[in-house]
Amino acid sequence: MTAEGKVLIFGFGNPGRLDDGLGPAFAQRMEQETPAGVTVDCDYQLNVEDASTVAQHELVLFVDAAEAGPEPFWLNRLEPVTHLSFSSHSVKPDALLGMARDVLGKTPSAFILGIRGYEFNEFGERLSEQAASNLEAALDFVRNGLCSGDIGRYLKQNEHRYGWRSETPAASMEGAS
Amino acid sequence: MSAPNPNRIVIEPVTRVEGHGKVTILLDDQKKVKQARLHVVEFRGFERFIQGRPYWEVPVLVQRLCGICPVSHHLAAAKAMDVIVGADTLTPTAEKMRRLMHYGQTFQSHALHFFHLVSPDLLFGFDADPAIRNVIGVAQKFPELAVQGVMMRKYGQEIIKATSGKKIHGTGAIPGGINKNLSIAERDEFLKDLEQQMSWARGALKIARDFTVTHLKDLADFGSFNSNHLSLIREDGAMDLYHGNLRAIDFQGNKIFDQVDYQGYTKYIKEEVRDWSYMKFPFITSLGPEKGWYRVGPLARLNTADFIDTPEAEAARKEFMAVTQGKPNNITMAYHWSRMIELLHAAEKISELLHDKDLQGTDLVVKGQRREEGVGLIEAPRGTLFHHYKVNEDDQIVMANLIVSTTHNNEPMNRAVEKVAKDHLSGVQITEGLLNRVEVAIRAYDPCLSCATHAMGKMPLEVKLVGPDGEVLDVRRS
């Protein structure tokens, strides 16, 4: 069972880039209703210091906008990896887990929830109509997990039902941010 | 855009957004490098996004431009809005809170760049196997450095959070001041870790200094060239990352202009559009586009400053300048050493501010005579950042012009890539060595390409070698 206080929900994306803001929108809504003991965080993107936060939890649910994949959302389990990057100022969720493992010696269970979005490449602080609807479905899904008393088990049980792997691995690994 | 040229090598990042930056190396008929170009697509929707929005929203809205340096945009916009509301002199609490925010941002940004992007190049060498020449390789061989990078970044981020509010909706700086002070409890939390952070900053500076000095002969020519340099400067000639007047010098240190009030920057700086790039090329008006381009960022700031007003960074600056006999340092790879001097300077400034009781003051906002136009400049971690706005009588934004640090460094980055390509391209094959060196040269500038698109930081390089008939002869990806 996932211990209370050891769950991190981390939404990321840019709320100024239309549906890219799905992750922060999810976090903002969750923050208002999350049971005590569940930590909610959000940022424009993930970065190295988040490895420290991740390492302090037993279960991490990353929430990001997805440019591809099934509607209204998909759910994938994440494994820590070593990513190389040329000039990255941000870190992918699985690479963040890799840093937590390799630098801090911690390997929490982790999933990514990709909420399907549609409009990304303009400035604007709004969600498209369909993305907003997908957000509600994703919120309901996670609420059910939190209500079950063991969100870790719930996510594992639903992994096959909502799992999705793109032909482009990156797309199903990191969402859209 | 120019017509496709079959004699070209393309180094292209793979992303999910069309139009990211790429490097094109043009070959002549003898298959020698004729020209190299770094293409960066600048996002052009921001002006439209902000049109009609009330001016007081701007310091928050501009943070949406970039997830990497939202604080720099936040503060530059707030400074422009200070001018709009006639707040010519902020209260001590407001100015010092903003400075603390800014030095926290500089500290975490420089630490991130050095420990997680640059240190693998320095610790393992440019030719090391990419499988180990990365942050995980550093973590395995130098675990303490990898941890330091994470913890320094976190420290800076916590300062930003305490001064600006939430990470994603920072509202600390407002037109005419700041919306909160620093509580005693917040201050004491930062003081607890301060000496450790200072110690790590000294260690990072030593690594960068030792590497540069030890390899000076090789680095002196690597992607290097003479250039002008531009930055803000305090009235007494000190480095000042938050506020000052503009100073530009040539490659020998002669002043091109000095102590220029940046409200009139348009008389001194112009932006050139070139048909092959969406990103503009700024230049010093009096010198014209051919000779007037310049560098910004840590190297430029070290070169333009007469001194640094914190003791440890000043001692480091003197040693840095001694390498070039007090003349400007034009070595591209010296960016790293200069960046680490600034890292220590930022830590010293954070210490200075945390011991200043003004941070607990309650006089936070001033106002004055309303104006219709305002310019805000700040020395962002990557270089001078310009924000320029016009506001109508209904308080709505009617014009916005931003020149980001990476745009200032556009021409220098192109020159650095071209120099590396000319020196290291042999035949018509993209070697791992060439790819590595192109990366290293661009990375010296710590470019932020995410102002251009939302898909931030996904910058593996893919190298395509295209033959005379258009056939792709070789592909190499970092």
Side-chain angles (χ1 to χ4, degrees), chain B residues 233-264:
Chain B
I233 206 83
R234 209 166 69 184
E235 286 185 358
D236 60 359
M239 172 190 281
D240 194 325
L241 303 182
Y242 176 74
H243 190 63
N245 296 314
L246 283 169
R247 172 181 285 180
I249 60 170
D250 67 16
F251 75 99
Q252 293 179 309
N254 301 306
K255 291 187 177 69
I256 302 167
F257 55 73
D258 195 17
Q259 299 297 347
V260 166
D261 179 356
Y262 59 68
Q263 296 303 319

Tab-separated table of all heavy atoms in Angstrom, chain B residues 233-264:
chain	number	residue	atom	x	y	z
B	233	ILE	N	25.816	48.546	-16.828
B	233	ILE	CA	26.928	48.842	-15.935
B	233	ILE	C	26.442	49.878	-14.910
B	233	ILE	O	25.618	50.728	-15.236
B	233	ILE	CB	28.143	49.392	-16.736
B	233	ILE	CG1	29.445	49.114	-16.033
B	233	ILE	CG2	27.994	50.852	-17.070
B	233	ILE	CD1	29.963	47.729	-16.313
B	234	ARG	N	26.908	49.738	-13.671
B	234	ARG	CA	26.506	50.703	-12.658
B	234	ARG	C	27.189	52.050	-12.929
B	234	ARG	O	28.187	52.109	-13.648
B	234	ARG	CB	26.900	50.164	-11.276
B	234	ARG	CG	26.009	50.636	-10.159
B	234	ARG	CD	26.221	49.821	-8.904
B	234	ARG	NE	27.539	50.058	-8.298
B	234	ARG	CZ	27.988	49.394	-7.222
B	234	ARG	NH1	27.234	48.476	-6.651
B	234	ARG	NH2	29.173	49.644	-6.721
B	235	GLU	N	26.697	53.115	-12.325
B	235	GLU	CA	27.252	54.450	-12.604
B	235	GLU	C	28.721	54.551	-12.252
B	235	GLU	O	29.467	55.324	-12.861
B	235	GLU	CB	26.445	55.515	-11.861
B	235	GLU	CG	25.079	55.754	-12.507
B	235	GLU	CD	24.312	56.880	-11.854
B	235	GLU	OE1	24.824	57.452	-10.871
B	235	GLU	OE2	23.193	57.169	-12.316
B	236	ASP	N	29.162	53.777	-11.259
B	236	ASP	CA	30.581	53.823	-10.886
B	236	ASP	C	31.411	52.777	-11.626
B	236	ASP	O	32.579	52.572	-11.315
B	236	ASP	CB	30.740	53.643	-9.371
B	236	ASP	CG	30.173	52.307	-8.890
B	236	ASP	OD1	29.645	51.546	-9.729
B	236	ASP	OD2	30.258	52.027	-7.677
B	237	GLY	N	30.808	52.099	-12.606
B	237	GLY	CA	31.544	51.125	-13.415
B	237	GLY	C	31.504	49.706	-12.886
B	237	GLY	O	32.112	48.810	-13.471
B	238	ALA	N	30.788	49.487	-11.780
B	238	ALA	CA	30.705	48.132	-11.221
B	238	ALA	C	29.749	47.266	-12.043
B	238	ALA	O	28.805	47.771	-12.654
B	238	ALA	CB	30.213	48.187	-9.779
B	239	MET	N	30.008	45.966	-12.037
B	239	MET	CA	29.043	45.028	-12.588
B	239	MET	C	27.750	45.136	-11.786
B	239	MET	O	27.785	45.188	-10.551
B	239	MET	CB	29.590	43.598	-12.496
B	239	MET	CG	28.580	42.527	-12.866
B	239	MET	SD	29.166	40.858	-12.476
B	239	MET	CE	30.260	40.592	-13.854
B	240	ASP	N	26.628	45.218	-12.460
B	240	ASP	CA	25.343	45.221	-11.765
B	240	ASP	C	24.362	44.427	-12.614
B	240	ASP	O	24.031	44.841	-13.729
B	240	ASP	CB	24.831	46.645	-11.540
B	240	ASP	CG	23.683	46.679	-10.540
B	240	ASP	OD1	22.872	45.714	-10.519
B	240	ASP	OD2	23.587	47.655	-9.763
B	241	LEU	N	23.924	43.298	-12.099
B	241	LEU	CA	23.066	42.421	-12.887
B	241	LEU	C	21.610	42.877	-12.900
B	241	LEU	O	20.836	42.448	-13.753
B	241	LEU	CB	23.145	40.983	-12.353
B	241	LEU	CG	24.543	40.348	-12.313
B	241	LEU	CD1	24.466	38.909	-11.811
B	241	LEU	CD2	25.212	40.395	-13.675
B	242	TYR	N	21.244	43.759	-11.968
B	242	TYR	CA	19.840	44.162	-11.893
B	242	TYR	C	19.556	45.492	-12.589
B	242	TYR	O	18.530	45.652	-13.242
B	242	TYR	CB	19.382	44.248	-10.431
B	242	TYR	CG	17.960	44.758	-10.290
B	242	TYR	CD1	16.875	43.931	-10.609
B	242	TYR	CD2	17.707	46.077	-9.879
B	242	TYR	CE1	15.577	44.404	-10.512
B	242	TYR	CE2	16.400	46.549	-9.775
B	242	TYR	CZ	15.342	45.716	-10.089
B	242	TYR	OH	14.048	46.184	-9.999
B	243	HIS	N	20.466	46.441	-12.465
B	243	HIS	CA	20.151	47.763	-13.007
B	243	HIS	C	21.415	48.537	-13.336
B	243	HIS	O	22.464	48.336	-12.717
B	243	HIS	CB	19.300	48.562	-12.011
B	243	HIS	CG	18.735	49.818	-12.595
B	243	HIS	ND1	17.844	49.805	-13.647
B	243	HIS	CD2	18.947	51.125	-12.296
B	243	HIS	CE1	17.522	51.050	-13.954
B	243	HIS	NE2	18.184	51.864	-13.151
B	244	GLY	N	21.299	49.449	-14.277
B	244	GLY	CA	22.420	50.307	-14.633
B	244	GLY	C	22.171	50.977	-15.959
B	244	GLY	O	21.033	51.059	-16.425
B	245	ASN	N	23.244	51.457	-16.544
B	245	ASN	CA	23.189	52.063	-17.872
B	245	ASN	C	23.944	51.170	-18.845
B	245	ASN	O	24.703	50.286	-18.435
B	245	ASN	CB	23.810	53.463	-17.839
B	245	ASN	CG	23.021	54.413	-16.959
B	245	ASN	OD1	21.791	54.471	-17.039
B	245	ASN	ND2	23.721	55.148	-16.100
B	246	LEU	N	23.760	51.430	-20.123
B	246	LEU	CA	24.396	50.584	-21.133
B	246	LEU	C	25.834	51.019	-21.408
B	246	LEU	O	26.123	52.202	-21.528
B	246	LEU	CB	23.591	50.625	-22.438
B	246	LEU	CG	22.308	49.796	-22.464
B	246	LEU	CD1	21.474	50.141	-23.697
B	246	LEU	CD2	22.622	48.304	-22.438
B	247	ARG	N	26.698	50.027	-21.510
B	247	ARG	CA	28.072	50.261	-21.946
B	247	ARG	C	28.400	49.245	-23.047
B	247	ARG	O	28.100	48.053	-22.912
B	247	ARG	CB	29.050	50.085	-20.789
B	247	ARG	CG	30.525	50.137	-21.233
B	247	ARG	CD	31.481	49.929	-20.062
B	247	ARG	NE	31.555	51.131	-19.219
B	247	ARG	CZ	32.322	51.212	-18.116
B	247	ARG	NH1	33.039	50.162	-17.731
B	247	ARG	NH2	32.351	52.324	-17.406
B	248	ALA	N	29.020	49.731	-24.113
B	248	ALA	CA	29.503	48.839	-25.176
B	248	ALA	C	30.983	49.138	-25.400
B	248	ALA	O	31.393	50.305	-25.430
B	248	ALA	CB	28.720	49.060	-26.470
B	249	ILE	N	31.757	48.073	-25.534
B	249	ILE	CA	33.190	48.223	-25.795
B	249	ILE	C	33.561	47.391	-27.020
B	249	ILE	O	32.849	46.453	-27.379
B	249	ILE	CB	34.051	47.779	-24.588
B	249	ILE	CG1	33.792	46.297	-24.265
B	249	ILE	CG2	33.776	48.655	-23.368
B	249	ILE	CD1	34.759	45.702	-23.250
B	250	ASP	N	34.703	47.737	-27.637
B	250	ASP	CA	35.158	46.898	-28.742
B	250	ASP	C	36.070	45.801	-28.203
B	250	ASP	O	36.262	45.674	-26.982
B	250	ASP	CB	35.834	47.737	-29.830
B	250	ASP	CG	37.152	48.360	-29.380
B	250	ASP	OD1	37.711	47.921	-28.336
B	250	ASP	OD2	37.638	49.280	-30.054
B	251	PHE	N	36.632	45.012	-29.100
B	251	PHE	CA	37.379	43.828	-28.658
B	251	PHE	C	38.654	44.188	-27.887
B	251	PHE	O	39.206	43.353	-27.178
B	251	PHE	CB	37.720	42.940	-29.854
B	251	PHE	CG	38.838	43.444	-30.732
B	251	PHE	CD1	40.121	42.957	-30.599
B	251	PHE	CD2	38.594	44.415	-31.691
B	251	PHE	CE1	41.149	43.412	-31.403
B	251	PHE	CE2	39.611	44.890	-32.498
B	251	PHE	CZ	40.890	44.396	-32.364
B	252	GLN	N	39.099	45.437	-28.020
B	252	GLN	CA	40.294	45.864	-27.290
B	252	GLN	C	39.958	46.616	-26.005
B	252	GLN	O	40.851	47.008	-25.267
B	252	GLN	CB	41.146	46.762	-28.186
B	252	GLN	CG	41.759	46.023	-29.369
B	252	GLN	CD	42.578	46.933	-30.261
B	252	GLN	OE1	42.100	47.988	-30.681
B	252	GLN	NE2	43.799	46.533	-30.531
B	253	GLY	N	38.692	46.865	-25.794
B	253	GLY	CA	38.284	47.547	-24.576
B	253	GLY	C	37.967	49.019	-24.756
B	253	GLY	O	37.619	49.706	-23.786
B	254	ASN	N	38.074	49.519	-25.972
B	254	ASN	CA	37.714	50.920	-26.217
B	254	ASN	C	36.202	51.082	-26.115
B	254	ASN	O	35.449	50.253	-26.647
B	254	ASN	CB	38.182	51.350	-27.616
B	254	ASN	CG	39.680	51.189	-27.771
B	254	ASN	OD1	40.459	51.696	-26.978
B	254	ASN	ND2	40.085	50.432	-28.793
B	255	LYS	N	35.783	52.145	-25.468
B	255	LYS	CA	34.340	52.341	-25.277
B	255	LYS	C	33.683	52.833	-26.570
B	255	LYS	O	34.150	53.793	-27.187
B	255	LYS	CB	34.088	53.321	-24.139
B	255	LYS	CG	34.462	52.754	-22.771
B	255	LYS	CD	34.051	53.684	-21.646
B	255	LYS	CE	34.367	53.075	-20.287
B	255	LYS	NZ	35.804	52.966	-19.984
B	256	ILE	N	32.613	52.161	-26.960
B	256	ILE	CA	31.828	52.579	-28.128
B	256	ILE	C	30.762	53.563	-27.664
B	256	ILE	O	30.528	54.590	-28.275
B	256	ILE	CB	31.196	51.351	-28.811
B	256	ILE	CG1	32.294	50.375	-29.233
B	256	ILE	CG2	30.335	51.774	-30.012
B	256	ILE	CD1	31.803	48.994	-29.623
B	257	PHE	N	30.111	53.224	-26.574
B	257	PHE	CA	29.282	54.185	-25.839
B	257	PHE	C	29.260	53.766	-24.383
B	257	PHE	O	29.580	52.616	-24.043
B	257	PHE	CB	27.871	54.339	-26.423
B	257	PHE	CG	27.077	53.073	-26.568
B	257	PHE	CD1	26.542	52.411	-25.469
B	257	PHE	CD2	26.826	52.546	-27.834
B	257	PHE	CE1	25.795	51.262	-25.612
B	257	PHE	CE2	26.080	51.387	-27.995
B	257	PHE	CZ	25.565	50.745	-26.884
B	258	ASP	N	28.921	54.698	-23.523
B	258	ASP	CA	29.013	54.422	-22.086
B	258	ASP	C	27.943	55.197	-21.327
B	258	ASP	O	27.604	56.325	-21.701
B	258	ASP	CB	30.410	54.818	-21.582
B	258	ASP	CG	30.702	54.223	-20.202
B	258	ASP	OD1	29.988	53.279	-19.795
B	258	ASP	OD2	31.637	54.700	-19.543
B	259	GLN	N	27.449	54.585	-20.276
B	259	GLN	CA	26.454	55.197	-19.390
B	259	GLN	C	25.267	55.741	-20.167
B	259	GLN	O	24.778	56.846	-19.918
B	259	GLN	CB	27.105	56.288	-18.520
B	259	GLN	CG	28.205	55.789	-17.598
B	259	GLN	CD	27.717	54.782	-16.544
B	259	GLN	OE1	26.511	54.624	-16.342
B	259	GLN	NE2	28.634	54.100	-15.885
B	260	VAL	N	24.793	54.957	-21.103
B	260	VAL	CA	23.628	55.335	-21.898
B	260	VAL	C	22.356	54.918	-21.159
B	260	VAL	O	22.216	53.748	-20.767
B	260	VAL	CB	23.674	54.650	-23.289
B	260	VAL	CG1	22.320	54.753	-23.989
B	260	VAL	CG2	24.774	55.273	-24.132
B	261	ASP	N	21.470	55.854	-20.966
B	261	ASP	CA	20.168	55.549	-20.360
B	261	ASP	C	19.387	54.646	-21.327
B	261	ASP	O	19.098	55.037	-22.458
B	261	ASP	CB	19.407	56.856	-20.124
B	261	ASP	CG	18.022	56.627	-19.521
B	261	ASP	OD1	17.608	55.453	-19.356
B	261	ASP	OD2	17.339	57.629	-19.224
B	262	TYR	N	19.033	53.457	-20.859
B	262	TYR	CA	18.438	52.497	-21.796
B	262	TYR	C	17.025	52.869	-22.238
B	262	TYR	O	16.478	52.234	-23.134
B	262	TYR	CB	18.509	51.072	-21.259
B	262	TYR	CG	17.825	50.796	-19.929
B	262	TYR	CD1	16.447	50.845	-19.799
B	262	TYR	CD2	18.583	50.429	-18.808
B	262	TYR	CE1	15.830	50.558	-18.596
B	262	TYR	CE2	17.982	50.131	-17.603
B	262	TYR	CZ	16.606	50.196	-17.493
B	262	TYR	OH	15.990	49.905	-16.302
B	263	GLN	N	16.435	53.882	-21.633
B	263	GLN	CA	15.131	54.324	-22.150
B	263	GLN	C	15.264	54.779	-23.608
B	263	GLN	O	14.296	54.776	-24.357
B	263	GLN	CB	14.566	55.472	-21.294
B	263	GLN	CG	14.246	55.087	-19.856
B	263	GLN	CD	13.258	53.931	-19.757
B	263	GLN	OE1	12.286	53.858	-20.493
B	263	GLN	NE2	13.522	53.013	-18.833
B	264	GLY	N	16.473	55.172	-23.990
B	264	GLY	CA	16.692	55.603	-25.370
B	264	GLY	C	17.488	54.604	-26.186
B	264	GLY	O	18.202	54.982	-27.121
